[in-house]
Amino acid sequence: MSAAIQFNKVSLKYGTKADTVEVLKSISFSIGIEEVVSIVGTSGSGKTSIIMLASGLENASKGSIKINNQEIVGLKENELSEVRRENIGIVFQSFYLIPNLTAVENVLLSLEANQKFNLEKDAEELLDEFGLSHRLHHLPSELSGGEQQRVAIARALINKPKIILADEPTGNLDSVNSESMIDLLFDYTKRSQTSLVIVTHENSIAKRCDRIIELRDGQIV
Amino acid sequence: MARLFDIQQFRLINKYAIRDFSRSYKKLWVVISTLFVSLLLLSLTFSVKGALNSEIENNSKELLGGDILVTSGIDPLPSDIIDLFNTLGKVSSAIEFGTMISKQGESPVFTELRAVDNNYPLYGDIETIPQSASERIFINSQKPSVLINESIQTLLKLSFGDDVVIMGQKFEVVGLVSSVPDLAESAVFGEFAIISMGSYEQFGLDSGGSFLDHEYRIKFKNSNQAKEQEELVKSIVAYDDSIETRAPGESGQSLNRVIDNFSNFLNLVSVSAMVIAGIGISNTLLSFVNQSNTSIAVKKSIGFSSGFIQSMYFYEIMLILVLTSVIAYLIGVYSPLLANELLPEALGIDLEPSFSFLGFLNIFFIGLLVVLIFSIPSLYSISEIKAGALFRNTFNPVSLNFSLKNIAILSVLIIILITYFVFQTEQKFYTVLYFVAFFTTMFIFYGVSKLLILFIKHSYKFSTNSYKIAYRNIVAKKSLAPIMTISLGIGLTLLLTLSFVANNLKKEISDSIPSMAPDLFFVSIDRNIQSDLESFIKDIDPNVELEFSPMASASFISLNGTPVEEVVSENNRSAWVVRGDRRISWSEKPKLDNPIIEGEWWEPGNENEMFVSMDSRAAYDLGMKINDKITLNILGRDVTGVVKNFREVDYRDISINFAIMINKAFANTMPYEYVGTLKSELPPGDILAKVVEKFPNVSAIKIDRILSQISEVLNKVFIAVTAISLIVIVIGLIVIVSAVLVQTTFRRYNNLIYKILGVDFPTILKAMTMEFAVIYGTLIFFALTVAMISSYLVVENTLQLTWQFDLGLTLWILVSTAVVSFVLILLANRSIFSPKVYPLIRNE
Ligand SMILES: Nc1ncnc2c1ncn2[C@@H]1O[C@H](COP(=O)(O)OP(=O)(O)OP(=O)(O)O)[C@@H](O)[C@H]1O
Ligand SMILES: [Mg+2]
């Protein structure tokens, strides 16, 4: 069976041996290629933790995680970087653009990490598509929150990753902005045949997904 | 991981680094400025030293005055030998001796007088005012003429055309010598005059004293066979040991050594400056990393590895290093032009800038090592930044990464740095010692800052608000205490140590010596006129304190049959006693101010046997024992004597002292002259004027003149040395200010909270003053202790003087440094006092 993401009995614990918090309790699920899945759950239920594990930015305490059939548990930092570069685009709640780079430069960063050069055209086109043609050479501090998040999404998409991981991408946006942004994200993933995992608190968003994974106390319900 | 020499990867690093640098160089100003200043200091020392050495090397013939120099001492060379010289090339003979120059109504001046022939100088030029004055001394006339240097002109208030008297003969002053090609020390620092050989002979100016040298310089006809001809000359004069020869390469050696020592000292100071700059670099980079932590995390989340990001920042620092070192080097290269302006004109030195890629590499390499040492722990902290934090919006500040691997790398780099320095210098031992002392001091100050924090934590806590704030600032994680104690501490220790040493030296010269020192020092008095001179002076001043000692020249041949060269190493403290010509004396009874500390004085009589009394310290250094057998060469004859006793000699009182004395009965059998000292209530200049008028051949040096010459030279050296150690303090201050600036965000936040809590401005100011006072107080306590110990060691052991503490000077240095530092810290902190706090918080 081919899946984009595969969690098999994954546990995540924090803290010392004496005082441990088991954040994820032997979770198993898989997300298919081109599948759009939302993760919902109460605060503290472990949604972000799943995204962190899937992106290789956190180490699982137990279990196996496969990204495009490649086991990533136990990989070294450099190997994880490579998996991430080649497969994954991340969208954060707080955008996190690099403050001293312009919109285009922020987007190009993703390409350059993958040794793809001289693709300013592509980056500009994508931003254009996202309605940012007049903001290409502005610094993040000169952009509105919605604009910043669109740049951040462009940065995650430009590299044509097979998987997009988004942790409450609309959390810092008003409803109008959030609506248009989600449209953008869904549109693009459909068109480019990408899997999308989106953590959200909003039912309207969750409903638009192919599937909903609900978490409670570190377990899937 | 990407391949190490991936060209794409490199291009990307290059691109990012340049982009980042061009957009955030303001955050790196500390790295740029401190690195630049310390590299500049290093570059200046290297360039000026290089230029001086090459000037000496290129002008070695001018410095020597010929292709070879032959010195025969008191006696001239026989004419058949001079004839032989004449077949080899052009010969210029000269006589140099000390004598008095006097003018009616002024006190006579002891001068180094040089009588030269028509061929002088064989190389280079005498520079005079007016320009043609040097020719006028050769014009044969009834009244001979003399060229004097500026110092004589000032002392005797002379103008051109005035008459002066030299050994009873009138000379007309026809010009001023501003420089001679062959460096004459007295031309630069003292009194120097030139007359023609013709007038010397015509007027019989033979002083007959032992302070006279016949010199012969030869300019070979066949200059391309210089080596062979040199050998030939050496073989011609080989018949007499007392005749010395010197080739051009050998002439600048002692000067070279002085330059080497001084530049080595400067190099060490530069490296110290650089290490302090390194502390600033490390601190700035770490805060730079912490400020950029989200950007770094984002890059990681996109898929850049820590290694890549580290390489990028490292590359950026390399760019700064290349840039600053190129500029520092270029300024350094042209600095000899400035040095020309500062060096005394009489030296006749004209330094030229010289560019060498190797010279640049040298500076770059040292800069590279320092930058590596101080940036590795900062840059490796990048690997501790977790991209996962982007999901939780929590960023913990990272700290210096001292992993075992890093410690190993750092140790290797530090060892390379020290070794690199040690191998470049002649004084390997002192260089190692300096580094050890330097790093120890650094450790001490680091420990001190930690102890201070610990002490404050456990001491009584006052309940005033300002104390609480000060307390919190000192014990805080980002406390100023460590960086301030280390960077200011080292600079202050260096400055205090150097000024203590300088001050002790100056004190010794300016006040303690003259009180007990004689006023005049008579050199080479003919034994036949000694008693006449003595009674003449006693007629002028019945209460005069006069002391005459007989004196002869001797050289040390062997100790217990072993040649001295094998007994004593070059750097033995007392090597001077056994090297070259020594003046020895004798007496029937022991001198009162030379107490015997071992052995016994001899019985009078015994003409056939030589007994020796040695300076106890020299004896100790040379490993002598009572009853050892010493062989001296006295007037060409080897004589072996028995060591009978050791005397404690204190050379500081400038009375007549001899390291080696022998028994009078034995010495009476050989030719000798007298030296003497005079101390009188009357003006010594007046006595001297009368003496010189009556005894034209008697020469005497005024002690106060010598002392003022020495202190003049010392003063200049000390000003230079202090200025240089001030640079270290300036760099320390930059580092502190940068640390303060790094802190302001964090302090601003605290102060905002204090404000909200109702703490007013005076309280915050009081808290800052308290914080500064506590840190600075601790710092000066240790800086002072280290400086006192090290200056004590230098003054008492190396300089053999009595160490004294000068409270005024100490207070002056400490208070002025404190004021400057505190004002700078307040200025750097001024943004936290500004009312516009809220927008700043929002931007965080
Ligand atoms: N470093 C840590 N140490 C201990 N516990 C942690 C740590 N990081 C997260 N946790 C805990 O893990 C649990 C899951 O956190 P996670 O961020 O995944 O929740 P979430 O579902 O994303 O919540 P939210 O909707 O509020 O973002 C929380 O209870 C949190 O307190
Ligand atoms: Mg979350």
Side-chain angles (χ1 to χ4, degrees):
Chain A
M1 192 198 80
S2 178
I5 303 175
Q6 219 173 346
F7 272 51
N8 195 0
K9 293 186 180 146
V10 175
S11 294
L12 177 63
K13 289 177 192 162
Y14 282 120
T16 57
K17 261 184 194 137
D19 177 28
T20 50
V21 187
E22 192 162 15
V23 175
L24 294 177
K25 297 163 186 163
S26 195
I27 278 187
S28 302
F29 67 89
S30 78
I31 289 165
I33 291 166
E34 294 182 46
E35 197 179 6
V36 175
V37 175
S38 73
I39 300 181
V40 298
T42 51
S43 180
S45 55
K47 306 182 291 296
T48 299
S49 304
I50 286 182
I51 300 285
M52 286 171 74
L53 285 171
S55 59
L57 292 175
E58 187 63 271
N59 300 320
S61 312
K62 230 191 261 166
S64 132
I65 301 172
K66 285 183 177 163
I67 300 296
N68 279 329
N69 292 325
Q70 185 186 358
E71 178 63 56
I72 64 163
V73 175
L75 291 188
K76 291 200 208 93
E77 200 214 302
N78 288 329
E79 296 161 336
L80 285 170
S81 293
E82 202 176 321
V83 172
R84 200 152 55 233
R85 267 201 311 269
E86 287 168 1
N87 300 293
I88 295 170
I90 307 173
V91 181
F92 304 98
Q93 178 176 349
S94 315
F95 328 141
Y96 287 122
L97 298 180
I98 293 182
N100 63 5
L101 299 186
T102 63
V104 174
E105 286 168 348
N106 263 289
V107 175
L108 282 173
L109 212 58
S110 257
L111 289 171
E112 288 162 347
N114 270 295
Q115 309 269 16
K116 296 177 190 160
F117 302 103
N118 307 318
L119 294 169
E120 278 85 351
K121 271 259 136 36
D122 295 24
E124 285 171 12
E125 272 169 28
L126 187 61
L127 286 170
D128 195 11
E129 206 175 307
F130 285 9
L132 289 170
S133 53
H134 58 304
R135 289 283 181 269
L136 297 178
H137 302 293
H138 287 239
L139 292 174
S141 56
E142 299 157 353
L143 301 175
S144 75
E147 287 167 338
Q148 286 188 44
Q149 190 60 310
R150 276 180 275 164
V151 176
I153 293 173
R155 182 178 65 189
L157 298 178
I158 186 79
N159 204 25
K160 302 196 172 64
K162 295 165 190 94
I163 301 161
I164 292 170
L165 302 172
D167 190 5
E168 298 184 38
T170 59
N172 282 1
L173 301 175
D174 60 42
S175 55
V176 179
N177 262 319
S178 111
E179 192 80 18
S180 69
M181 221 215 54
I182 291 294
D183 289 345
L184 219 72
L185 203 54
F186 276 57
D187 264 17
Y188 194 87
T189 40
K190 279 269 139 43
R191 254 195 291 142
S192 58
Q193 298 148 350
T194 309
S195 311
L196 170 67
V197 180
I198 181 165
V199 172
T200 184
H201 281 295
E202 287 170 53
N203 271 332
S204 60
I205 297 173
K207 273 184 201 145
R208 291 174 64 175
C209 298
D210 303 339
R211 185 153 59 100
I212 299 175
I213 295 178
E214 196 184 343
L215 280 181
R216 193 178 301 149
D217 288 339
Q219 283 175 313
I220 297 177
V221 289
Chain B
M1 191 183 161
R3 279 153 290 147
L4 206 53
F5 289 105
D6 187 331
I7 184 77
Q8 297 279 19
Q9 192 91 344
F10 175 75
R11 275 201 196 134
L12 198 58
I13 287 176
N14 179 48
K15 177 181 156 189
Y16 284 4
I18 289 175
R19 186 166 71 188
D20 195 64
F21 178 68
S22 65
R23 290 179 194 180
S24 52
Y25 61 91
K26 279 185 195 137
K27 286 183 186 163
L28 294 171
W29 69 273
V30 178
V31 179
I32 300 170
S33 61
T34 55
L35 203 55
F36 175 70
V37 174
S38 50
L39 281 171
L40 182 62
L41 190 60
L42 195 64
S43 166
L44 290 179
T45 25
F46 276 127
S47 308
V48 174
K49 181 202 162 182
L52 273 173
N53 282 345
S54 72
E55 164 85 9
I56 289 169
E57 199 177 311
N58 294 339
N59 298 313
S60 56
K61 286 181 180 170
E62 279 88 340
L63 286 173
L64 189 69
D67 292 330
I68 192 164
L69 166 70
V70 179
T71 326
S72 62
I74 309 169
D75 300 314
L77 286 177
S79 57
D80 55 329
I81 287 188
I82 298 174
D83 288 345
L84 271 177
F85 287 172
N86 274 319
T87 62
L88 294 172
K90 201 169 169 186
V91 180
S92 163
S93 52
I95 299 172
E96 245 183 66
F97 57 102
T99 187
M100 306 307 290
I101 287 197
S102 39
K103 178 190 160 189
Q104 200 65 44
E106 302 290 339
S107 76
V109 172
F110 182 80
T111 303
E112 183 184 336
L113 185 67
R114 188 183 283 184
V116 298
D117 65 11
N118 283 335
N119 290 340
Y120 178 85
L122 293 172
Y123 286 102
D125 298 297
I126 315 182
E127 275 168 36
T128 55
I129 306 168
Q131 257 175 12
S132 58
S134 63
E135 288 149 30
R136 289 196 51 193
I137 57 169
F138 297 110
I139 295 170
N140 225 343
S141 72
Q142 259 328 95
K143 192 158 86 190
S145 40
V146 63
L147 295 170
I148 56 173
N149 76 343
E150 206 181 328
S151 172
I152 300 180
Q153 188 191 27
T154 321
L155 287 171
L156 290 181
K157 305 187 184 76
L158 288 168
S159 28
F160 298 154
D162 281 359
D163 280 349
V164 289
V165 176
I166 303 171
M167 301 174 94
Q169 172 63 44
K170 271 193 182 155
F171 279 78
E172 182 188 344
V173 176
V174 291
L176 219 54
V177 204
S178 42
S179 82
V180 286
D182 41 327
L183 267 190
E185 246 173 68
S186 50
V188 182
F189 301 111
E191 285 71 55
F192 178 75
I194 298 181
I195 58 171
S196 72
M197 190 65 99
S199 33
Y200 175 84
E201 281 161 0
Q202 186 183 347
F203 301 102
L205 303 184
D206 187 3
S207 77
S210 66
F211 291 90
L212 184 139
D213 256 332
H214 280 87
E215 296 173 343
Y216 304 88
R217 294 178 170 84
I218 310 171
K219 185 177 186 176
F220 297 131
K221 269 187 234 150
N222 266 334
S223 56
N224 45 3
Q225 286 176 349
K227 268 271 153 304
E228 290 85 345
Q229 315 232 30
E230 255 171 43
E231 290 310 313
L232 190 57
V233 171
K234 282 180 185 167
S235 68
I236 292 174
V237 296
Y239 68 94
D240 187 344
D241 280 347
S242 67
I243 300 176
E244 286 171 12
T245 60
R246 232 198 282 163
E250 298 155 1
S251 65
Q253 268 172 1
S254 64
L255 196 59
N256 269 334
R257 202 170 309 133
V258 172
I259 294 168
D260 277 348
N261 287 350
F262 193 61
S263 77
N264 186 42
F265 163 76
L266 291 183
N267 282 341
L268 291 177
V269 174
S270 316
V271 165
S272 315
M274 210 171 259
V275 169
I276 294 175
I279 296 171
I281 291 173
S282 157
N283 196 42
T284 314
L285 286 183
L286 186 66
S287 73
F288 188 62
V289 167
N290 275 321
Q291 281 171 20
S292 318
N293 57 5
T294 51
S295 301
I296 292 170
V298 167
K299 283 180 186 146
K300 286 189 178 183
S301 79
I302 289 173
F304 286 109
S305 63
S306 295
F308 177 88
I309 301 168
Q310 276 159 12
S311 311
M312 190 209 100
Y313 284 118
F314 185 69
Y315 187 82
E316 205 171 317
I317 297 161
M318 283 299 109
L319 286 182
I320 296 176
L321 176 65
V322 171
L323 217 72
T324 48
S325 56
V326 166
I327 298 175
Y329 180 71
L330 288 181
I331 297 180
V333 162
Y334 289 101
S335 64
L337 296 179
L338 178 73
N340 280 338
E341 300 297 312
L342 298 175
L343 289 170
E345 194 199 350
L347 274 173
I349 279 183
D350 183 25
L351 301 181
E352 280 179 20
S354 78
F355 182 89
S356 95
F357 188 62
L358 222 61
F360 169 73
L361 279 187
N362 191 17
I363 288 162
F364 181 79
F365 182 64
I366 294 168
L368 178 68
L369 284 174
V370 172
V371 164
L372 277 176
I373 290 169
F374 286 95
S375 63
I376 284 178
S378 303
L379 290 186
Y380 267 85
S381 69
I382 286 176
S383 60
E384 279 154 34
I385 292 179
K386 296 269 173 284
L390 293 169
F391 288 104
R392 305 204 196 276
N393 296 321
T394 50
F395 286 95
N396 291 324
V398 290
S399 47
L400 297 179
N401 183 319
F402 285 112
S403 61
L404 278 180
K405 183 180 145 206
N406 280 351
I407 290 176
I409 295 176
L410 293 184
S411 316
V412 171
L413 288 174
I414 291 173
I415 290 170
I416 293 178
L417 179 69
I418 296 177
T419 323
Y420 188 70
F421 259 87
V422 169
F423 274 96
Q424 285 201 353
T425 143
E426 292 295 318
Q427 301 89 2
K428 301 193 175 9
F429 175 71
Y430 284 105
T431 308
V432 172
L433 204 67
Y434 180 88
F435 273 111
V436 169
F438 182 82
F439 284 112
T440 313
T441 314
M442 222 164 119
F443 262 108
I444 290 178
F445 279 113
Y446 183 72
V448 163
S449 69
K450 292 285 159 200
L451 277 179
L452 171 69
I453 292 173
L454 210 71
F455 176 77
I456 296 267
K457 271 186 180 164
H458 290 94
S459 63
Y460 177 77
K461 291 178 184 57
F462 299 93
S463 55
T464 58
N465 278 336
S466 45
Y467 176 81
K468 281 183 186 159
I469 296 172
Y471 168 85
R472 219 165 293 160
N473 283 341
I474 292 178
V475 302
K477 209 175 170 191
K478 281 191 177 174
S479 169
L480 259 193
I483 205 135
M484 194 164 137
T485 19
I486 295 180
S487 48
L488 194 56
I490 291 203
L492 208 51
T493 309
L494 198 65
L495 182 65
L496 284 171
T497 309
L498 292 175
S499 354
F500 284 170
V501 172
N503 198 47
N504 270 294
L505 252 175
K506 278 205 281 196
K507 265 230 175 75
E508 194 76 35
I509 288 162
S510 64
D511 34 274
S512 66
I513 295 177
S515 65
M516 45 187 188
D519 300 316
L520 293 177
F521 200 107
F522 291 98
V523 289
S524 61
I525 298 160
D526 192 313
R527 59 199 280 193
N528 299 320
I529 64 162
Q530 184 262 336
S531 57
D532 289 348
L533 177 66
E534 192 165 344
S535 45
F536 179 76
I537 295 173
K538 283 192 168 143
D539 278 347
I540 301 172
D541 176 11
N543 298 323
V544 72
E545 288 174 42
L546 259 184
E547 188 190 346
F548 286 99
S549 297
M551 186 198 75
S553 278
S555 56
F556 212 110
I557 303 296
S558 65
L559 175 62
N560 293 326
T562 320
V564 273
E565 299 81 38
E566 291 168 33
V567 179
V568 192
S569 74
E570 282 259 338
N571 29 17
N572 189 306
R573 183 172 60 164
S574 293
W576 60 274
V577 176
V578 296
R579 204 126 13 83
D581 259 7
R582 272 271 67 71
R583 320 244 180 234
I584 62 168
S585 186
W586 49 88
S587 91
E588 196 92 57
K589 282 173 284 177
K591 284 184 70 183
L592 286 178
D593 53 357
N594 279 192
I596 290 170
I597 57 171
E598 206 184 328
E600 270 165 29
W601 200 257
W602 43 74
E603 295 295 317
N606 255 329
E607 282 122 55
N608 304 323
E609 236 184 315
M610 182 170 84
F611 300 139
V612 180
S613 168
M614 282 295 299
D615 166 2
S616 61
R617 186 163 58 208
Y620 172 82
D621 290 342
L622 305 176
M624 285 181 188
K625 288 180 196 63
I626 300 289
N627 288 330
D628 274 0
K629 289 198 163 45
I630 289 180
T631 308
L632 300 176
N633 181 301
I634 304 173
L635 297 156
R637 193 158 64 96
D638 282 2
V639 192
T640 302
V642 183
V643 178
K644 283 290 183 188
N645 59 63
F646 299 147
R647 281 165 300 125
E648 192 172 315
V649 185
D650 186 357
Y651 295 93
R652 281 180 297 165
D653 61 9
I654 324 191
S655 62
I656 303 170
N657 276 305
F658 294 92
I660 305 171
M661 292 187 72
I662 60 174
N663 52 328
K664 186 175 176 189
F666 180 81
N668 268 341
T669 58
M670 40 190 221
Y672 60 87
E673 57 190 16
Y674 280 95
V675 289
T677 57
L678 173 151
K679 195 166 171 58
S680 165
E681 297 292 315
L682 301 178
D686 294 354
I687 300 180
L688 189 56
K690 287 178 187 152
V691 166
V692 171
E693 207 182 336
K694 170 92 188 192
F695 302 92
N697 287 359
V698 166
S699 303
I701 301 166
K702 280 165 93 179
I703 302 291
D704 62 353
R705 174 71 192 133
I706 296 198
L707 292 177
S708 73
Q709 272 174 21
I710 295 174
S711 46
E712 211 172 287
V713 172
L714 281 179
N715 257 333
K716 283 186 184 147
V717 172
F718 293 150
I719 289 172
V721 164
T722 316
I724 286 153
S725 56
L726 271 180
I727 293 181
V728 178
I729 290 210
V730 166
I731 291 183
L733 287 177
I734 296 180
V735 169
I736 291 171
V737 166
S738 78
V740 171
L741 288 177
V742 163
Q743 280 194 336
T744 44
T745 27
F746 144 86
R747 289 208 171 193
R748 222 182 271 150
Y749 187 77
N750 281 356
N751 283 9
L752 173 70
I753 293 170
Y754 298 145
K755 269 188 186 168
I756 294 167
L757 292 175
V759 179
D760 55 357
F761 174 76
T763 312
I764 295 180
L765 188 65
K766 218 156 96 190
M768 285 183 62
T769 317
M770 220 183 277
E771 181 192 354
F772 179 81
V774 168
I775 301 178
Y776 194 76
T778 320
L779 182 160
I780 53 174
F781 176 74
F782 286 91
L784 206 54
T785 313
V786 174
M788 274 165 42
I789 294 173
S790 46
S791 64
Y792 179 87
L793 291 177
V794 172
V795 169
E796 294 268 334
N797 290 348
T798 315
L799 300 175
Q800 312 274 349
L801 302 172
T802 329
W803 186 83
Q804 275 177 304
F805 181 69
D806 184 329
L807 186 67
L809 174 79
T810 313
L811 282 181
W812 198 90
I813 293 177
L814 293 181
V815 170
S816 50
T817 317
V819 170
V820 173
S821 327
F822 190 55
V823 168
L824 279 177
I825 289 177
L826 282 185
L827 282 179
N829 259 317
R830 73 188 184 287
S831 71
I832 69 168
F833 300 122
S834 76
K836 284 185 273 174
V837 183
Y838 294 94
L840 291 166
I841 293 288
R842 209 179 51 204
N843 279 352
E844 271 186 310

